[in-house]
Amino acid sequence: MRINSEYEKMPGSYLFAEVARRLKVYKEQHPDADIIRLGIGDVTQPLVPKVIEAMHKAVDEMGNADTFRGYGPDFGYDFLVNAIRDNDYAPLGIALDYDEVFISDGAKCDVGNIQELFSQDAMIAITDPVYPVYVDSNAMAGRAGNYIQDRWDRLVYLPCNAENGFIPPLPESKVDVIYLCYPNNPTGTVLTKAQLKVFVDWAKENDAIIIFDAAYKAFITQKEIPHSIYEVEGARDVAIECCSYSKTAGFTGTRCAYTIIPHEVCGKNAKGEKVEINAMWKRRMATKFNGVSYPVQRAAEAIYTPEGKAQVEQVIDGYLANARVIREGLLARGIQAYGGENSPYIWLKVPGMDSWSFFDTLLDRCHVVGTPGAGFGPSGEGYFRLTAFNTAEATREAVARFDRLK
Ligand code: PLP
C-alpha cells in the first residue's frame, strides 16, 4: 500500500507539543511554581442544568423499548434543525430551508471535511494567523503545495496584523475558496457587516466561495457585529457557515455542531455547469456520517429553551468578564492588546521579543502559560494568545502577576 505522501510534507503539530515540552521542563526545574494556564482553548465550566436535564431524559428514553431510537436522520433530527432555524437565524431575518442545516459532531470535522468537495487544484486563501485545521486539511489533500520554512507555497495568505487593524486584505490572485473565522481564533478580532461584504462581493465577482467559521459567535457583545455571514447581503450565494455548541454551551466533550449550506452556493463541474454544494454535502454526509447521538441532539435543543438560553448566557458572560480582566490588565500595564471584547481570546503585541521568548519570559516571571503567536502562522510572530477560559479567580491572579513583566 502506498501512503498519501502529502502527509509526509506536514510539519508536526509543533505548537501545543512544544508548549507542553517547555512547561514540563520548567516544572521539573521549579516543582513549587503555581502555574496558571491561560493557553487553553477548551472550556472549563460544566454543562448547564437545563442541558443535563434534557440529556438525562433522552438517555432514559433510549432505555425504553417504546421510546428507543436507532440510527437517526443523517442530517439531524427535526427538533434540533428547527430550533436552529427558529432561534439562531429567524430573529436575524434569515430564513433557512430545512435541508440547508446539517447537524454534525463538530465544527472541526465540518471545516476539515468540506474541502473534499473542492477540485484537487483549487486555490485556497486563509487569513494569517489562522486556526490550523483549514490549512492542514487542504495540505493533506495535496492542495497546499510544499511547506517551506514557515509557510505552504501554494496557499494564499491574507496577513492580519495591528498595521491593517486585523482586517484581511482581499486576495491578489485567483482563489477558489476563502476561509474566514469571526470572531477570530486566535486574534479575538471581529469584522463588521461592511467589512464582510467586501469579501462576499469579491467572492461573487471572482467565482469563489467563503467558508465562514462562526464557532465563537456566542461571544459577540457589540450590536453592529454580525452573528451570521447571512446578515450580509448576497452571502447566501457564496457562503457556507459552520457553527458549534463547543464554546457556545460547553460542548467540547459532548460534541455537537451544525453547518449551513444554502442552495444558492454552487461550484462548477468540468463542463462549466453549476453544481449545488448542498447536494454534494448531502451525498457526502449520507455516505460517511451516521448522525450525532440522540441524547446529544436533545441536549443541544435544550440550549434554546428560555432557561437554557439564560443559563448558557451566564457562563459566556463569565468568560467575557475574564477576557475583559485580561485585556484591561494588559493595557493598564502598557501592553498592546486586541480582541477579548467579542471573543474569549486576547491577542497581545509581544513587547520587544519574539513570541517564543515571551512564552518563556511569561512562564518564568509570572508562572503563566499562553500560546505563542508564531504557532498560528507567519503573521502571528510578534504576538501572543491568552484565553479567558480559566476561572475568574485564576484569571485575576494571572493578571496581577503581569506586574512582574516590567
Ligand atoms: N473552529 C474554530 C475557529 C475553533 O477555534 C475550534 C476549536 O477550538 C473549532 C472550530 C472546533 O469546534 P468543535 O469543537 O465544534 O469541533
Side-chain angles (χ1 to χ4, degrees):
M1 196 282 286
R2 279 269 306 277
I3 60 155
N4 173 356
S5 54
E6 302 300 331
Y7 277 64
E8 290 187 297
K9 299 182 190 170
M10 307 285 300
S13 36
Y14 170 78
L15 177 60
F16 291 102
E18 180 61 12
V19 165
R21 191 192 68 76
R22 290 190 189 209
L23 186 56
K24 184 165 174 273
V25 170
Y26 190 83
K27 277 170 142 176
E28 279 162 9
Q29 290 166 356
H30 305 85
D32 298 328
D34 169 23
I35 289 168
I36 300 178
R37 291 167 183 263
L38 297 187
I40 37 176
D42 196 357
V43 296
T44 50
Q45 296 303 303
L47 296 175
V48 299
K50 197 68 194 168
V51 163
I52 291 296
E53 182 191 313
M55 211 187 309
H56 276 160
K57 183 164 172 280
V59 168
D60 288 342
E61 285 176 48
M62 295 298 269
N64 180 328
D66 294 336
T67 49
F68 168 76
R69 312 237 184 171
Y71 288 123
D74 288 332
F75 313 132
Y77 281 104
D78 295 15
F79 58 78
L80 183 54
V81 169
N82 287 329
I84 291 166
R85 295 165 72 207
D86 295 346
N87 292 280
D88 283 347
Y89 290 95
L92 302 176
I94 299 163
L96 294 179
D97 283 353
Y98 178 81
D99 71 344
E100 293 176 328
V101 182
F102 296 87
I103 309 296
S104 79
D105 59 352
K108 186 185 210 173
C109 317
D110 289 350
V111 296
N113 289 328
I114 195 81
Q115 49 75 32
E116 285 184 23
L117 310 189
F118 314 154
S119 78
Q120 191 58 35
D121 61 356
M123 288 300 295
I124 309 294
I126 47 123
T127 56
D128 167 33
V130 73
Y131 176 57
V133 176
Y134 321 140
V135 173
D136 289 1
S137 56
N138 279 290
M140 288 168 176
R143 271 182 218 101
N146 292 299
Y147 192 71
I148 300 168
Q149 285 191 337
D150 60 358
R151 66 186 72 211
W152 293 91
D153 65 1
R154 207 177 164 275
L155 288 185
V156 174
Y157 289 77
L158 308 175
C160 297
N161 47 43
E163 287 69 42
N164 63 19
F166 300 95
I167 299 161
L170 286 168
E172 286 175 1
S173 53
K174 166 72 189 148
V175 305
D176 300 287
V177 181
I178 306 176
Y179 288 82
L180 296 176
C181 170
Y182 290 96
N184 188 261
N185 178 14
T187 65
T189 57
V190 288
L191 293 185
T192 62
K193 256 188 229 179
Q195 287 161 344
L196 269 180
K197 185 155 192 315
V198 172
F199 278 87
V200 167
D201 290 347
W202 192 91
K204 278 183 148 187
E205 279 159 27
N206 292 277
D207 231 354
I209 69 164
I210 296 171
I211 310 296
F212 188 75
D213 186 338
Y216 295 95
K217 67 178 176 179
F219 293 85
I220 295 172
T221 57
Q222 285 169 294
K223 275 208 183 68
E224 65 276 20
I225 303 301
H227 284 71
S228 165
I229 194 164
Y230 305 117
E231 290 181 66
V232 175
E233 194 198 325
R236 274 190 63 95
D237 296 331
V238 290
I240 291 172
E241 180 163 285
C242 301
C243 304
S244 170
Y245 297 109
S246 282
K247 309 298 159 78
T248 303
F251 272 49
T252 51
T254 305
R255 313 303 304 148
C256 197
Y258 63 86
T259 283
I260 308 298
I261 311 185
H263 287 293
E264 290 89 328
V265 182
C266 286
K268 288 206 179 110
N269 67 15
K271 292 185 218 149
E273 299 156 340
K274 280 185 161 190
V275 177
E276 267 194 32
I277 303 295
N278 179 293
M280 290 178 75
W281 191 242
K282 275 190 189 125
R283 188 71 182 84
R284 187 217 172 262
M285 290 289 268
T287 299
K288 298 194 179 182
F289 190 58
N290 250 339
V292 175
S293 78
Y294 174 69
V296 168
Q297 291 195 56
R298 280 292 186 201
E301 181 196 20
I303 297 165
Y304 296 107
T305 59
E307 299 107 296
K309 277 184 189 167
Q311 291 168 357
V312 162
E313 207 176 293
Q314 209 182 346
V315 176
I316 297 278
D317 284 349
Y319 292 138
L320 282 169
N322 289 345
R324 203 173 316 119
V325 166
I326 298 172
R327 179 188 162 87
E328 287 172 7
L330 290 166
L331 292 174
R333 288 163 180 80
I335 299 174
Q336 202 43 254
Y338 308 92
E341 288 170 309
N342 299 286
S343 160
Y345 297 125
I346 295 91
W347 190 241
L348 66 93
K349 184 102 186 75
V350 172
M353 59 183 98
D354 68 50
S355 62
W356 277 108
S357 305
F358 186 71
F359 175 90
D360 293 332
T361 305
L362 190 67
L363 179 57
D364 192 39
R365 294 206 204 149
C366 307
H367 295 163
V368 171
V369 180
T371 314
F376 296 101
S379 296
E381 183 51 279
Y383 295 89
F384 198 82
R385 193 189 75 173
L386 296 174
T387 77
F389 289 122
N390 213 317
T391 62
E393 197 187 11
T395 303
R396 271 196 302 273
E397 168 61 22
V399 170
R401 292 185 195 171
F402 292 165
D403 282 341
R404 303 181 202 157
L405 285 171
K406 280 180 201 149

